[in-house]
């Protein structure tokens, strides 16, 4: 039996091309634009507000003659950013500042950079402690370079990889190099001692934090906070699943009558300090962060936790911080024991808790 195969009639090439073009047009129209997150009505309002303000300032002020153009533009922005804007949420602020940069640069016929403007005219410095982080340090620096910072201090310690080489190649920071490992806390203490800025922001080099996420820490210190901690509360599991380090952080805050701080601590980055806090606490105390936190609470410094950065999931798992009772956990728990000893020395054995039932004086009769 002979099979008959019906061949399709070939279409003219011009017709095929026309159909393909029609299908392409339809697909382009139907598919949403990628990598362009939609703004809410409020964010769109503030972005347009920022753009108009930037265009107006471009007509009145020329930053091209300034040695540090990013800082010059930030100073103009601070005069523009009224209290109403600064009181809005983070996303609205971000939309307004980006609109301002875009509006100014377009009106001034400049390249539009990916800068993130800060809500302060005061000097801001960042201190980064890093050890063997050649895979992440460049991206960390790239985010810091988006901010109009007055100083960046990077403490490279105990690195056996190409961390130091990459820091030198990608940053104009003040680099302090120690061949031996110091520990993150000692590195932060050294960086704080070398700094001159009014507001100090502390980071580590092992994970990247977007520049936009750092603005709330800076803003909280700008409006009067002495310590702006990272609020890790949203990322904690139920209490029964807390590890020993988190329990100790929470216990220390409750002991000092600051339960609203939950498990937030100077041990975690990012966090920011005012120059006033650094003077009163002392740079050396930063080597043991819980002790610095005890001092800050007892002398009445203002402590807040303005925003949340998920450092729990971003924290790298290493041999020395893995599993229960690991060396890092033992170190941090020891720091908290030391901090509790300091609190008892300064405030008495019961610290802030009264002893109103026991009549201890009768034993002395």
């Amino acid at each position: 039996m002979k099979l008959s195969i019906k061949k399709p009639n070939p279409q003219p090439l011009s017709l095929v091309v026309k159909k393909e073009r029609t299908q392409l047009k339809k697909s382009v129209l139907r598919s949403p634009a990628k990598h362009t997150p939609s703004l809410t009505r409020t964010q769109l309002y503030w972005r347009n507000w920022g753009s108009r303000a930037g265009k107006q300032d471009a007509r009145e002020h020329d930053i091209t003659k300034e040695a540090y153009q990013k800082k010059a533009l930030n100073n103009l922005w601070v005069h523009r950013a009224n209290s109403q804007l600064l009181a809005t949420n983070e996303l609205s602020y971000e939309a307004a500042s980006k609109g301002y940069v875009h509006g100014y640069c377009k009106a001034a016929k400049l390249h539009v950079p990916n800068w993130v403007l800060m809500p302060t005219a005061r000097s801001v410095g960042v201190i980064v402690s890093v050890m063997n982080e050649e895979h992440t340090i460049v991206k960390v620096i790239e985010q810091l370079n988006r901010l109009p910072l007055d100083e960046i201090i990077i403490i490279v310690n105990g690195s056996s990889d190409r961390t130091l080489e990459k820091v030198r190649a990608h940053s104009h920071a003040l680099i302090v190099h120690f061949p031996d490992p110091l520990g993150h806390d000692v590195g932060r203490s050294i960086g704080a001692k070398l700094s001159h800025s009014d507001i100090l922001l502390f980071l580590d080099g092992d994970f990247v934090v977007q520049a936009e996420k750092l603005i709330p820490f800076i803003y909280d210190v700008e409006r009067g906070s002495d310590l702006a901690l990272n609020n890790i509360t949203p990322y904690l599991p139920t209490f029964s699943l807390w590890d020993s380090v988190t329990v100790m952080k929470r216990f220390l805050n409750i002991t000092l009558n600051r339960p609203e701080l939950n498990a937030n601590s100077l041990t975690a980055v990012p966090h920011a300090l005012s120059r006033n806090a650094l003077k009163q606490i002392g740079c050396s105390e930063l080597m043991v962060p819980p002790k610095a936190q005890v001092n800050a609470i007892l002398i009445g410094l203002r402590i807040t936790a303005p925003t949340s950065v998920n450092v729990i999931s971003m924290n790298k798992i290493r041999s020395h911080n893995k599993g229960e009772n690991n060396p890092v956990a033992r170190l941090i728990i020891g720091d908290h024991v030391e901090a509790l000893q300091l609190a008892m020395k300064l405030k008495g054995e019961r610290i802030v808790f009264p002893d109103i039932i026991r009549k201890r004086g009768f034993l002395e009769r």
Side-chain angles (χ1 to χ4, degrees):
M1 181 177 179
K2 189 176 178 181
L3 295 176
S4 61
I5 301 175
K6 186 178 181 181
K7 296 182 180 180
N9 293 326
Q11 294 180 336
L13 182 60
S14 60
L15 184 59
V16 173
V17 172
K18 187 176 181 180
K19 283 186 177 181
E20 288 179 351
R21 287 177 179 172
T22 304
Q23 290 174 354
L24 179 61
K25 286 181 180 179
K26 288 181 179 178
S27 63
V28 170
L29 290 173
R30 289 175 181 174
S31 60
K34 295 181 179 180
H35 309 298
T36 54
S38 58
L39 299 177
T40 65
R41 183 175 297 180
T42 301
Q43 290 169 323
L44 186 60
Y45 167 83
W46 283 114
R47 185 177 180 86
N48 292 335
W49 177 91
S51 180
R52 291 193 300 270
K55 290 175 182 178
Q56 182 176 347
D57 281 351
R59 292 190 292 268
E60 300 173 2
H61 305 280
D62 182 11
I63 66 169
T64 58
K65 299 177 182 179
E66 300 289 339
Y68 191 7
Q69 295 180 9
K70 200 187 318 181
K71 187 69 175 180
L73 186 62
N74 195 86
N75 289 336
L76 294 175
W77 162 249
V78 170
H79 287 292
R80 278 287 182 179
N82 54 39
S83 58
Q84 180 186 0
L85 169 58
L86 297 179
T88 59
N89 60 45
E90 299 171 23
L91 295 177
S92 295
Y93 174 88
E94 180 184 336
S97 62
K98 285 185 176 180
Y100 183 85
V101 173
H102 186 273
Y104 184 98
C105 293
K106 281 293 185 180
K109 295 180 169 49
L110 300 173
H111 166 72
V112 181
N114 193 22
W115 292 346
V116 177
L117 301 179
M118 303 185 301
T120 181
R122 291 197 283 173
S123 58
V124 179
V126 173
I127 296 162
V128 185
S129 186
V130 57
M131 174 181 168
N132 288 333
E133 302 298 350
E134 63 177 355
H135 299 296
T136 54
I137 189 59
V138 173
K139 292 183 179 180
V140 170
I141 293 172
E142 286 174 351
Q143 290 301 313
L144 295 181
N145 287 340
R146 297 175 63 203
L147 295 164
L149 299 169
D150 294 88
E151 58 182 355
I152 301 176
I153 303 173
I154 301 180
I155 313 298
V156 183
N157 64 102
S159 290
S160 56
D161 62 0
R162 298 173 60 236
T163 296
L164 179 60
E165 178 184 338
K166 291 198 171 187
V167 170
R168 284 174 172 169
H170 293 86
S171 175
H172 297 290
L174 170 62
I175 304 170
V176 184
H177 176 230
F178 292 92
D180 299 322
L182 303 174
H184 287 309
D185 301 326
V186 175
R188 293 171 197 157
S189 180
I190 292 172
K193 188 172 184 179
L194 295 172
S195 70
H196 302 285
S197 297
D198 299 321
I199 300 173
L200 299 178
L201 190 64
F202 294 84
L203 296 172
D204 287 342
D206 56 348
F207 55 84
V208 182
V209 180
Q210 295 294 314
E212 290 85 354
K213 292 289 187 181
L214 301 175
I215 294 299
F217 298 100
I218 297 170
Y219 178 50
D220 239 42
V221 177
E222 162 66 18
R223 63 179 184 174
S225 178
D226 290 299
L227 277 71
L229 305 178
N230 182 13
N231 182 19
I232 63 170
T233 305
Y235 311 114
L236 295 177
T238 57
F239 181 79
S240 62
L241 299 176
W242 282 16
D243 57 26
S244 54
V245 170
T246 306
V247 170
M248 285 299 294
K249 291 177 181 179
R250 170 69 169 161
F251 179 72
L252 181 65
N253 288 330
I254 290 177
T255 300
L256 297 171
N257 201 27
R258 294 298 303 272
E260 77 282 1
L261 292 177
N262 205 5
N264 301 322
S265 168
L266 273 176
T267 300
V269 291
H271 60 255
L273 269 68
S274 67
R275 175 58 55 177
N276 173 60
L278 191 62
K279 286 181 180 178
Q280 295 204 50
I281 296 172
C283 295
S284 60
E285 289 296 292
L286 297 181
M287 290 190 290
V288 185
K291 284 182 66 178
Q293 188 159 330
V294 165
N295 274 318
I297 292 174
L298 293 183
I299 62 181
L301 295 182
R302 184 182 175 191
I303 305 174
T304 57
T307 191
S308 300
V309 177
N310 189 358
V311 296
I312 296 177
S313 63
M314 290 191 295
N315 194 25
K316 291 183 179 178
I317 303 299
R318 310 172 193 266
S319 58
H320 58 274
N321 69 353
K322 183 170 59 176
E324 295 183 8
N325 200 31
N326 62 73
V328 173
R330 291 200 302 271
L331 171 67
I332 297 175
I333 291 171
D335 289 348
H336 282 76
V337 171
E338 195 173 341
L340 287 168
Q341 288 178 329
L342 173 64
M344 288 188 288
K345 178 181 178 181
L346 295 176
K347 300 293 289 185
E349 292 182 353
R350 297 182 65 84
I351 310 179
V352 298
F353 293 94
D355 188 8
I356 58 176
I357 298 176
R358 299 182 184 89
K359 306 297 181 182
R360 298 175 188 261
F362 284 96
L363 294 175
E364 299 175 358
R365 294 180 181 180

